[in-house]
């Protein structure tokens, strides 16, 4: 994801598939990194319903672009 992505941008991209319960964008907290304070380049998006998650995944997989970036989608391996 772009380092300046916002929750609102992600919500806009994914709410068309159903209500989004939570969006978490982790930040880089390594003070030695030139990217300190920016996003780590990924986000976790949780829908209220698993069917909406599957619909978003199958609809956007390989096709989602935000700004000039093509975005890859994966199912999270754990809950945050």
């Amino acid at each position: 994801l772009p380092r300046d992505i916002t929750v609102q941008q992600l919500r806009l991209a994914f709410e068309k598939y159903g209500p989004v319960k939570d969006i978490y964008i982790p930040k880089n907290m390594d003070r030695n990194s030139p990217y300190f304070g920016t996003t780590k380049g990924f986000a976790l998006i949780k829908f209220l319903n698993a069917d909406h998650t599957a619909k978003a995944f199958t609809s956007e997989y390989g096709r989602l672009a935000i700004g000039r970036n093509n975005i890859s989608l994966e199912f999270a391996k754990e809950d945050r």
Side-chain angles (χ1 to χ4, degrees), residues 1 5-7 10 23-27 39-44:
L1 290 174
I5 192 80
T6 66
V7 169
L10 289 173
I23 297 176
Y24 173 61
I25 305 173
K27 299 237 182 211
T39 67
K40 286 188 172 186
F42 68 94
L44 302 172

Side-chain angles (χ1 to χ4, degrees), residues 56-70:
F57 184 80
T58 57
S59 297
E60 295 291 354
Y61 188 81
R63 293 186 278 277
L64 181 61
I66 296 178
R68 292 175 280 159
N69 297 17
N70 289 328

Side-chain angles (χ1 to χ4, degrees), residues 30-46:
D30 179 1
R31 293 191 181 276
N32 295 320
S33 171
Y35 300 110
F36 174 75
T38 64
T39 67
K40 286 188 172 186
F42 68 94
L44 302 172
I45 301 167
K46 185 183 286 189

